[in-house]
Amino acid sequence: VEDGGELTGRRVLVVEDEFLVAMELEGVLLREGCEVLGASTVPQALAALHDGRPEVVVLDVNLGGTRATPVAAALRDRGVPFVLITGYSALQLSEPELRDARRLDKPVSGRDLTRAVAQALQAAQASSAAS
Amino acid sequence: MADFPIVGIGSSAGGLEALQKLFGAMPPDSGLAFVVAAHLDPTQKSHLTELLSRCTKMPVVEIKSSIKVEPDHVYVIAPDQELTIRSGVVKTSKPTAPRGHRHPVDSFFRSLAEDQGARAIAIVLSGTGTNGSQGLRFIKAEGGIAIAQDPETAGFAGMPRSAIATGIVDLILPPEKMPDALLNLARHPYVRHAAEAVAERAPDDLYRLLTLVRAQTKHDFSNYRQRTLLRRIYRRMGLHRIERLPDYIERLRDDPAEIKALAADLTINVTGFLRDPEAWKVLADKVVAPLVRQRPDGSAVRVWVPGCSTGEEAYSVAMLVLEHAEVAKKTLDLILFATDVADGVLSSARAGVYPASIAQDVTAARLERWFEMEDDTYCVKKALRETITFAPQNLLQDPPFSRLDLISCRNLLIYLEPEIQKRVLGLFHFALRDGGHLFLGPAESIAGREDLFQAVSSKWRIYRRLGPTRHDVVDFPLIDAIGSPHGSSAQVEAPAEPSDRAGELMDRALLERYAPASVLIDQHFRVLYLRGPTEDYLRPPSGEPSYNLINMAREGLQSALRAAVRKAIKEGQEVIGDARLRRSRVLHPVRFVVAPLRFGSDDDARRLLVSFFEVTPEAVEPAAADEPADESQLQADLDATREDLRLTIEQMEAANEELKASNEEVRSINEELQASNEELETSKEELQSLNEELNTVNSQLQAKVGELEARTDDLNNLLNSTDVATLFLDRSLCIRWFTPSMKTLLELLPSDLGRPISHFAQRFSGGELLEDARQVLERLLPSDAEVADELGRWYIRRILPYRTAVDRIDGVVVTFTEITERKRREKEVQDAKEFAEAVVEAVRFPLVVLTPELRVKSANAAFYEAFQVTPDVTEGRPLAQLGNRQWDIPELHQRLKSVLPESAEFVDFEIEHDFEGIGRRTMLLHARRLDGAQLILLGMVDLTERKRGEQERELLMRELSHRVKNVLAVVQALATQTDHSPSVEEYRDKFVGRLQALTRAHSLLLDGQWRGTDLRRLVELELHAYRVDHPEVIEVEGESVPLTANQGLGLSLILHELGTNAAKYGALSQSRGRVHVSWHVENDDQRRLHLRWEERDGPPVEAPSRRGFGTRLVERACTQELQGESELNYTREGLRCEIAFPLG
């Protein structure tokens, strides 16, 4: 987990409506060697999920005024791990799809992001191995 | 006649107490008998007998039918009875007069006076009215004693006062002192032995006494009947307990007042209105009616009533004359002299005030016509009063009036000695004009003066004056006037005979010398006048003096004279007769002529002149005493006698015929009278039944009067006790009456009664009393007004129409009820109410006032505003039914109904409810029970807005935090991605420039409330820095195009990057370089914006070797933020950037 090495080649979907932030997140993950997919709206995200089959998703909760809940629901259905990025406090994430999700508060540092994504992947692997 | 005095006692209201005191002090063995004639309620059983027996040991007996009066007994009248006494036996009878006109005391006293005369004693006790006063006059006239209760001690002083006012009461005593006086009277010889006392002869003493009276009073009673005088003198002695005449004379010397009293007693004369109605009827028919008929309109009628006493007789005559004149439609100037010696009675005659009992004598019509009823008296009206001249005059001393048509002198002659009567009659003859009439009392006559008067009605003593004025019979003063003020001038005032003139003197002388002895007679042979030497033929007859010609004729003349006169009357022609007179035994031939003289058609006025002629003896036969002469003389006498006899028989036969005719007439009259009598019987029965009816009605009226009195008392007490000032006004709004509390209110005085209320009404402000009262009179509707007086006190003034029992409006009743205190409280309440209402109105949150039944009483403006309703659909309705039942909230009703009765209020009761018109609302309700006003105050605070605000604020906070974090993320992204430049300063400039662009975009968006912005403004703002000094360097061309927030943000960053690049490397890095920014909107299936950035005249550009952050930013902003495309071309001219995106 220390090294970013294990993220190399991983396909990551960044769902973020703020393009400057998206550029930054993508930049961080690209530098980690990830294959980065991008989406800025719920439909784009669902389409990317379906088309790109990401291994892990970085998901902004607020997508141009719309909650990313449907995306989270789809991710849970598919068992795709995801990291929520949000300016909201935990209280504001009352939906069951979002409630217990891995979460990073904005603004996000590059290190936190890579660590969270890596952990999300590991946890997913562990749970799938267990099952 | 009983030989003990009988005391009559009259009483009425308040009399019981007086009777009890009187009998309580009366010893039971006084020897007196008492008859109590009390005025009792005819409908009630009397307890008088029972009550009186308790205070005296004398037997007290209620009189039933008749009873003989015994001494030491008390006899009491029964209710509804009248008493009379005859020969000492008291009888009861049903009163004939209707109730209200009965005077039982008067009638009994009158009867007592007539029966007992001087022994009668009458006492008037307490009572109202005038009952008894008239009766006392009769008592006094008969010489009885009149006593009255001291009015000070009487419960009701009316009767005693009235009695005293007559001036004839002998003693005025309190009841307990009466027995003492009565005992003294009873023991006095005058009462005890009245007959003997009168019989006592004391001429000297009497003479002394009368001289004393004459000296003191100028009244000479010496010609009055001694019996009458003595009776009255002894009476006065009895009162003073003096037994002997000389002692009384001594008393008189010292006591001038007693002389006056005695003189007054001596002149007492009972009179009455139309006393003896039949006599007056005859007078009216035979004297007054013809008199009025004969007199031309406007002429004078002269009447004299001597001895008029208190004037009743004079007024009676005046009434008769005036009434007849009225019927004949003539205006006669009635001059009536009414005279009397006593001044005292004259003033009461002048006043003309009589007790109510005169109604017994005077008909109702006359009372109505000539009298005015005042209290219990009748007062003569002015018209009647003015026809009579009342003057003091002494018939016996002063000269009489003259040329009178009528003298009415009733019951005066009886007091005079017969000789004086004759002289008075002579006086009357003189005073009357020829044919004038004299009207005397029933016990009087013209006895001894038949030559002067002829009877018109001998029964009723009406006479006509006969013959010419006879100076020989008049010699006034009839008695010597001693110091009389009239005395010396009397003869001067008498009508003087016309003085003889020369012609008359000569006529008389010639007559004396040449005229034959003649005599004037009337048809009744009465000698009227003598002339010449008649003594040869006439002589006074022996016996009573007579003026009859036949009686006076000398022997031998009588039969011839009678025959000749009759013949002359019968034939109306002169008759010559011859006769022989025996003179000193010698027969003298006499010739006489009877010549009828005519003075008028009237038989009564026929006069005959009889003249005697002396015939010389030669002319006839010689008066020798020879046989043949004697024989022929006898033969002549016989012839004359036969002739006389024949005529007498003829006359008798004629008279007989006349009598037969008269008898026939009388029979038929008798028939008529019987018929009349039957009719009268019937009438009488009818009257009796009518009387019964009247009695019934009267008793009903009595009961009503009683009730009325009680009501009046109640009413008076009520009005006096109440504080409600009440004022009664009549139809002309003058004060009719007011209650005592009214006095202070309008400062009214009792003397203000009758004054117009307009004089007082100014004291009140507001509500014109006068105007309102008029309106009430007009509309008959009550009026209420609140008025204030000068002192600021308030009253409710109520005006009601005044309705009489017959529902006539006869003015108004005004009441004033003070309400100052109420008014003050009312104002306080009103102020408090206004304050409360102002508070309710002023409160900004809705308030509803509910009744206990949960109906809306009122609501404030805030309520109407909040719930968008109006008062007219709210007030008075049940809360649950307001506006489509929107307030039908079960919990609220439950709370209001169950909680409020227990506690005074509930607060902060929150409800959420859908309200029509304003939607779902959260309300905080407060309710408070107002116990005093029986109301519930329901206040509500609309929490809806506040709650929503709170939620929004929270949301905003979260959003803000979220955005801040987002912004920070963006800033971080800018910072991390900005290319690392050779120097820190350069990096900082780049980063800060981008941050500023971002900030400007945010500012712009914030101006537009983050809902979007305008493209042109955005372009100008972003490029502003480059154009400040040289606006021409950047040319902007394009319309206003609205952009979304994201579009605005993206374009800002793009323009910043392009601007920075141009300033650093492109056209703006050189002064002549120019940038042209333009855009347009394409409308295909979707609106798209095409924006072009063109640089020229800048340094040569070429595509950079490496794609820097700026370029990537532009591209990424286009794709992601604008959802569009971008194209960057580095041409020779300069950089050209084309951007297209959907406007959406």
Side-chain angles (χ1 to χ4, degrees):
Chain A
V1 187
E2 277 303 308
D3 239 317
E6 65 255 50
L7 291 181
T8 308
R10 296 285 185 170
R11 198 154 56 228
V12 184
L13 174 62
V14 175
V15 185
E16 167 64 65
D17 62 334
E18 199 68 58
F19 77 97
L20 283 170
V21 178
M23 282 170 72
E24 192 197 358
L25 295 175
E26 284 167 22
V28 169
L29 291 170
L30 283 171
R31 277 194 295 274
E32 290 295 325
C34 294
E35 192 182 336
V36 179
L37 303 169
S40 61
T41 65
V42 171
Q44 279 178 11
L46 291 175
L49 196 62
H50 184 264
D51 298 340
R53 296 194 171 275
E55 291 166 77
V56 63
V57 176
V58 175
L59 182 61
D60 185 1
V61 175
N62 190 338
L63 295 173
T66 314
R67 299 287 275 191
T69 318
V71 183
L75 289 171
R76 282 180 186 272
D77 281 353
R78 290 167 187 254
V80 179
F82 61 93
V83 174
L84 287 177
I85 296 177
T86 177
Y88 295 122
S89 65
L91 277 174
Q92 287 166 285
L93 301 174
S94 53
E95 300 98 318
E97 294 85 355
L98 307 178
R99 200 181 298 150
D100 302 321
R102 201 172 299 274
R103 196 167 61 90
L104 285 173
D105 280 344
K106 284 186 178 180
V108 182
S109 72
R111 203 161 18 155
D112 290 345
L113 178 68
T114 49
R115 187 185 297 154
V117 171
Q119 281 172 354
L121 279 170
Q122 276 177 0
Q125 276 168 1
S127 70
S128 67
S131 65
Chain B
M1 185 188 263
D3 56 356
F4 50 89
I6 297 176
V7 181
I9 302 176
S11 76
S12 183
L16 178 61
E17 190 194 339
L19 283 168
Q20 284 171 332
K21 282 185 181 168
L22 195 159
F23 286 117
M26 193 80 209
D29 54 353
S30 60
L32 296 165
F34 298 90
V35 180
V36 178
H39 199 167
L40 298 170
D41 185 337
T43 61
Q44 300 281 324
K45 188 180 180 322
S46 166
H47 300 284
L48 192 56
T49 313
E50 194 184 322
L51 290 169
L52 289 183
S53 14
R54 287 183 200 159
C55 40
T56 178
K57 287 184 180 161
M58 285 185 276
V60 181
V61 185
E62 185 169 281
I63 305 163
K64 288 181 179 121
S65 62
S66 75
I67 191 162
K68 177 144 177 62
V69 178
E70 304 275 352
D72 298 329
H73 277 65
V74 179
Y75 301 91
V76 178
I77 191 172
D80 201 23
Q81 295 290 332
E82 266 186 354
L83 294 182
T84 51
I85 183 165
R86 186 142 305 154
S87 310
V89 175
V90 191
K91 278 188 179 150
T92 61
S93 58
K94 275 276 173 192
T96 48
R99 279 181 69 175
H101 290 277
R102 294 179 194 166
H103 297 85
V105 182
D106 278 336
S107 60
F108 175 65
F109 283 0
R110 188 168 178 170
S111 155
L112 185 66
E114 283 161 6
D115 188 51
Q116 296 291 308
R119 293 151 77 73
I121 299 174
I123 301 179
V124 172
L125 294 179
S126 167
T128 57
T130 58
N131 199 358
S133 304
Q134 196 73 2
L136 288 185
R137 287 179 194 273
F138 290 98
I139 295 284
K140 286 281 292 205
E142 294 295 334
I145 305 281
I147 302 177
Q149 183 180 1
D150 184 351
E152 296 292 314
T153 68
F156 292 86
M159 273 167 54
R161 274 191 210 289
S162 168
I164 292 163
T166 59
I168 55 171
V169 170
D170 297 306
L171 295 169
I172 300 166
L173 295 169
E176 59 271 20
K177 294 266 177 68
M178 288 176 182
D180 194 28
L182 289 173
L183 287 175
N184 274 311
L185 284 170
R187 290 191 197 113
H188 193 269
Y190 156 68
V191 176
R192 203 147 35 88
H193 305 293
E196 293 91 305
V198 171
E200 187 181 330
R201 286 286 180 261
D204 289 349
D205 288 339
L206 183 61
Y207 180 75
R208 272 168 58 210
L209 188 147
L210 291 180
T211 310
L212 203 60
V213 174
R214 189 167 56 184
Q216 188 76 32
T217 65
K218 315 283 185 271
H219 288 150
D220 187 354
F221 295 101
S222 53
N223 293 298
Y224 279 49
R225 281 188 191 196
Q226 279 202 5
R227 282 176 68 93
T228 315
L229 287 178
L230 282 170
R231 205 171 62 211
R232 291 189 175 177
I233 290 164
Y234 274 89
R235 207 181 134 274
R236 294 234 44 105
M237 285 163 63
L239 286 171
H240 292 291
R241 306 173 193 179
I242 296 168
E243 298 207 357
R244 292 178 53 246
L245 198 52
D247 297 343
Y248 184 59
I249 293 169
E250 285 307 306
R251 166 75 185 259
L252 287 178
R253 284 190 205 284
D254 303 336
D255 189 355
E258 177 58 25
I259 295 183
K260 274 196 172 175
L262 174 64
D265 271 12
L266 292 179
T267 53
I268 285 227
N269 184 8
V270 172
T271 176
F273 281 98
L274 305 162
R275 205 171 163 195
D276 310 318
E278 276 181 67
W280 285 94
K281 174 91 173 70
V282 174
L283 182 75
D285 292 347
K286 296 215 169 164
V287 177
V288 179
L291 180 70
V292 170
R293 202 159 50 234
Q294 284 162 16
R295 287 293 157 91
D297 196 14
S299 63
V301 169
R302 294 165 61 86
V303 181
W304 181 22
V305 181
C308 67
S309 187
T310 43
E312 287 91 337
E313 192 179 328
Y315 286 119
S316 302
V317 175
M319 280 192 280
L320 274 191
V321 175
L322 292 178
E323 281 166 13
H324 277 85
E326 214 164 78
V327 170
K329 297 200 170 68
K330 281 183 183 176
T331 312
L332 294 179
D333 182 13
L334 174 65
I335 301 161
L336 199 154
F337 304 99
T339 61
D340 202 288
V341 288
D343 277 350
V345 291
L346 279 179
S347 58
S348 75
R350 280 194 195 100
V353 178
Y354 298 100
S357 57
I358 64 165
Q360 289 176 328
D361 302 321
V362 184
T363 61
R366 281 203 170 111
L367 284 175
E368 170 75 13
R369 171 77 178 82
W370 300 113
F371 293 86
E372 273 166 27
M373 184 85 190
E374 279 175 17
D375 299 329
D376 200 23
T377 61
Y378 285 103
C379 183
V380 174
K381 281 187 185 172
K382 208 176 162 205
L384 182 61
R385 165 73 191 80
E386 280 177 347
T387 59
I388 302 176
T389 310
F390 287 100
Q393 200 255 11
N394 191 330
L395 189 61
L396 306 180
Q397 291 169 341
D398 299 331
F401 299 88
S402 62
R403 289 174 284 118
L404 297 164
D405 294 298
L406 173 65
I407 293 174
S408 173
C409 181
R410 313 197 72 212
N411 303 325
L412 186 138
L413 296 181
I414 46 169
Y415 296 106
L416 303 175
E417 295 290 351
E419 190 50 36
I420 302 299
Q421 287 187 17
K422 272 193 183 177
R423 286 156 78 176
V424 168
L425 286 170
L427 187 86
F428 287 163
H429 184 268
F430 166 81
L432 286 168
R433 66 166 176 82
D434 194 11
H437 288 85
L438 176 65
F439 185 26
L440 297 179
E444 297 160 336
S445 73
I446 52 162
R449 282 302 195 186
E450 289 84 354
D451 55 325
L452 297 179
F453 295 98
Q454 180 192 2
V456 172
S457 163
S458 46
K459 182 179 181 196
W460 295 114
R461 316 292 172 177
I462 300 170
Y463 303 94
R464 184 181 13 241
R465 186 189 115 143
L466 281 178
T469 302
R470 294 267 300 274
H471 298 286
D472 58 326
V473 298
V474 189
D475 55 348
F476 51 80
L478 301 182
I479 52 173
D480 294 336
I482 301 164
S484 160
H486 306 293
S488 57
S489 62
Q491 271 156 328
V492 178
E493 281 178 34
E497 279 295 292
S499 59
D500 291 351
R501 286 176 299 180
E504 279 181 27
L505 201 67
M506 187 172 164
D507 285 350
R508 191 169 288 176
L510 282 170
L511 283 170
E512 293 290 342
R513 183 178 288 247
Y514 298 109
S518 300
V519 57
L520 185 71
I521 59 167
D522 66 9
Q523 57 183 349
H524 302 299
F525 300 93
R526 191 175 286 132
V527 176
L528 300 177
Y529 207 89
L530 298 164
R531 170 75 72 199
T534 52
E535 66 276 7
D536 288 345
Y537 314 100
L538 305 175
R539 49 143 178 75
S542 60
E544 282 272 306
S546 169
Y547 283 94
N548 191 296
L549 179 69
I550 308 303
N551 289 349
M552 288 171 81
R554 286 180 183 274
E555 200 181 331
L557 202 54
Q558 290 169 339
S559 55
L561 209 52
R562 183 189 292 130
V565 169
R566 284 190 178 149
K567 191 174 176 192
I569 291 172
K570 195 174 175 188
E571 293 171 3
Q573 287 183 352
E574 196 173 279
V575 175
I576 301 171
D578 289 305
R580 280 166 193 266
L581 277 179
R582 190 179 297 276
R583 278 189 202 132
S584 52
R585 305 193 58 77
V586 177
L587 285 171
H588 287 270
V590 170
R591 171 160 294 170
F592 55 88
V593 178
V594 181
L597 306 175
R598 290 203 178 265
F599 289 110
S601 57
D602 196 351
D603 278 355
D604 291 343
R606 187 170 290 164
R607 301 285 183 266
L608 297 123
L609 182 69
V610 182
S611 303
F612 300 97
F613 301 93
E614 200 71 31
V615 180
T616 52
E618 291 82 13
V620 208
E621 287 162 67
D626 52 357
E627 207 63 47
D630 265 355
E631 215 171 285
S632 68
Q633 171 70 31
L634 284 172
Q635 190 60 47
D637 270 357
L638 191 63
D639 287 348
T641 309
R642 276 189 185 140
E643 180 63 13
D644 199 8
L645 186 66
R646 191 183 58 80
L647 283 171
T648 306
I649 288 166
E650 266 176 27
Q651 269 191 339
M652 205 182 75
E653 276 172 357
N656 205 19
E657 282 302 308
E658 269 181 49
L659 278 174
K660 275 186 185 169
S662 296
N663 192 30
E664 286 300 311
E665 264 182 60
V666 167
R667 281 172 182 233
S668 70
I669 287 171
N670 193 29
E671 272 312 301
E672 277 177 36
L673 284 175
Q674 273 182 354
S676 301
N677 197 25
E678 272 169 34
E679 271 179 43
L680 284 173
E681 282 289 333
T682 321
S683 301
K684 191 183 155 204
E685 276 166 26
E686 281 172 19
L687 281 174
Q688 275 174 342
S689 69
L690 193 63
N691 196 25
E692 272 315 303
E693 277 177 40
L694 286 174
N695 273 337
T696 317
V697 171
N698 194 31
S699 51
Q700 278 178 353
L701 284 175
Q702 289 271 350
K704 281 252 187 271
V705 165
E707 260 176 53
L708 210 59
E709 277 171 356
R711 289 286 162 280
T712 306
D713 287 346
D714 290 350
L715 204 61
N716 279 335
N717 281 304
L718 174 69
L719 288 172
N720 286 333
S721 68
T722 178
D723 277 342
V724 178
T726 309
L727 180 66
F728 291 76
L729 302 179
D730 63 16
R731 291 191 68 84
S732 50
L733 302 182
C734 292
I735 298 168
R736 170 185 289 170
W737 193 65
F738 52 81
T739 56
S741 43
M742 200 68 216
K743 287 182 196 163
T744 50
L745 209 62
L746 282 182
E747 285 175 7
L748 290 180
L749 299 169
S751 57
D752 291 329
L753 290 180
R755 290 181 61 188
I757 190 61
S758 52
H759 294 183
F760 304 92
Q762 276 74 21
R763 271 178 59 87
F764 284 95
S765 63
E768 286 294 321
L769 173 59
L770 215 56
E771 190 46 42
D772 290 353
R774 276 198 198 106
Q775 296 238 340
V776 169
L777 269 181
E778 226 167 79
R779 300 181 188 159
L780 307 183
L781 292 173
S783 118
D784 281 355
E786 292 188 358
V787 294
D789 68 2
E790 294 156 338
L791 302 170
R793 287 188 303 242
W794 281 88
Y795 300 88
I796 285 186
R797 192 205 59 207
R798 171 164 293 180
I799 308 179
L800 297 157
Y802 183 103
R803 284 177 199 277
T804 63
V806 292
D807 212 24
R808 200 166 66 85
I809 302 303
D810 202 25
V812 295
V813 183
V814 189
T815 61
F816 291 87
T817 315
E818 179 160 359
I819 51 159
T820 313
E821 187 60 17
R822 196 169 101 197
K823 194 86 182 161
R824 193 178 62 73
R825 291 209 193 108
E826 229 169 60
K827 190 169 163 17
E828 281 174 10
V829 169
Q830 187 61 32
D831 288 352
K833 193 172 167 229
E834 275 170 18
F835 175 71
E837 280 174 359
V839 169
V840 167
E841 273 306 306
V843 166
R844 287 218 315 278
F845 48 83
L847 269 179
V848 189
V849 183
L850 299 174
T851 62
E853 296 80 39
L854 303 184
R855 275 177 188 274
V856 177
K857 186 167 164 58
S858 65
N860 68 351
F863 178 87
Y864 296 125
E865 199 186 332
F867 293 97
Q868 299 291 305
V869 286
T870 52
D872 46 305
V873 299
T874 308
E875 286 178 5
R877 309 238 172 140
L879 181 66
Q881 291 176 19
L882 282 189
N884 248 344
R885 308 188 71 85
Q886 62 177 1
W887 278 98
D888 190 6
I889 306 164
E891 322 151 64
L892 174 62
H893 281 264
Q894 195 267 331
R895 277 241 170 185
L896 287 172
K897 286 199 163 157
S898 65
V899 177
L900 270 188
E902 285 159 25
S903 58
E905 63 175 354
F906 64 76
V907 293
D908 291 344
F909 170 57
E910 194 177 319
I911 55 158
E912 211 174 332
H913 188 72
D914 276 316
F915 290 100
E916 196 165 279
I918 55 169
R920 191 165 187 82
R921 293 274 153 165
T922 306
M923 295 276 173
L924 204 57
L925 300 179
H926 305 256
R928 171 172 277 276
R929 195 179 67 218
L930 304 174
D931 287 337
Q934 287 287 308
L935 291 173
I936 296 167
L937 198 60
L938 179 63
M940 52 203 78
V941 183
D942 190 347
L943 292 179
T944 316
E945 291 300 327
R946 198 199 289 174
K947 286 226 161 184
R948 189 174 296 161
E950 277 169 10
Q951 283 168 0
E952 277 182 4
R953 198 159 57 241
E954 197 182 323
L955 215 62
L956 206 65
M957 289 295 290
R958 287 178 192 168
E959 193 59 35
L960 200 62
S961 146
H962 171 240
R963 285 209 184 182
V964 167
K965 284 175 181 172
N966 263 350
V967 168
L968 286 177
V970 170
V971 171
Q972 181 183 298
L974 278 178
T976 51
Q977 290 179 85
T978 295
D979 298 325
H980 292 280
S981 300
S983 71
V984 176
E985 288 78 19
E986 211 174 324
Y987 170 78
R988 193 186 60 201
D989 286 346
K990 276 187 184 173
F991 171 66
V992 170
R994 282 170 182 151
L995 201 57
Q996 281 174 337
L998 198 62
T999 309
R1000 276 194 298 275
H1002 271 262
S1003 298
L1004 196 64
L1005 289 170
L1006 205 61
D1007 285 349
Q1009 304 268 311
W1010 215 259
R1011 282 197 290 270
T1013 185
D1014 179 59
L1015 174 60
R1016 193 175 173 89
R1017 276 188 70 199
L1018 186 141
V1019 170
E1020 281 176 353
L1021 183 70
E1022 197 51 51
L1023 300 179
H1024 175 74
Y1026 307 108
R1027 300 170 77 197
V1028 171
D1029 299 326
H1030 307 285
E1032 71 279 357
V1033 297
I1034 299 175
E1035 197 183 346
V1036 178
E1037 186 188 338
E1039 307 270 311
S1040 281
V1041 177
L1043 298 174
T1044 67
N1046 280 355
Q1047 287 166 346
L1049 204 61
L1051 267 180
S1052 298
L1053 288 170
I1054 290 166
L1055 287 170
H1056 173 75
E1057 288 303 322
L1058 290 172
T1060 314
N1061 188 61
K1064 208 167 183 181
Y1065 311 107
L1068 298 180
S1069 61
Q1070 289 183 354
S1071 61
R1072 49 185 190 87
R1074 297 288 185 268
V1075 177
H1076 185 255
V1077 183
S1078 64
W1079 65 86
H1080 68 276
V1081 176
E1082 276 184 6
N1083 274 317
D1084 293 340
D1085 53 338
Q1086 194 184 15
R1087 291 179 75 232
R1088 282 180 75 85
L1089 182 78
H1090 290 263
L1091 185 141
R1092 178 178 292 170
W1093 172 280
E1094 277 180 303
E1095 295 180 25
R1096 55 188 167 85
D1097 299 333
V1101 293
E1102 54 186 66
S1105 56
R1106 194 176 66 89
R1107 284 172 73 229
F1109 176 62
T1111 314
R1112 282 192 289 125
L1113 189 148
V1114 171
E1115 284 171 357
R1116 191 64 187 258
C1118 266
T1119 52
Q1120 190 171 337
E1121 204 72 3
L1122 303 178
Q1123 304 286 322
E1125 306 90 36
S1126 63
E1127 193 184 333
L1128 283 169
N1129 287 310
Y1130 296 91
T1131 64
R1132 230 172 43 84
E1133 293 292 314
L1135 180 69
R1136 174 186 291 187
C1137 177
E1138 301 226 15
I1139 293 167
F1141 63 89
L1143 285 169

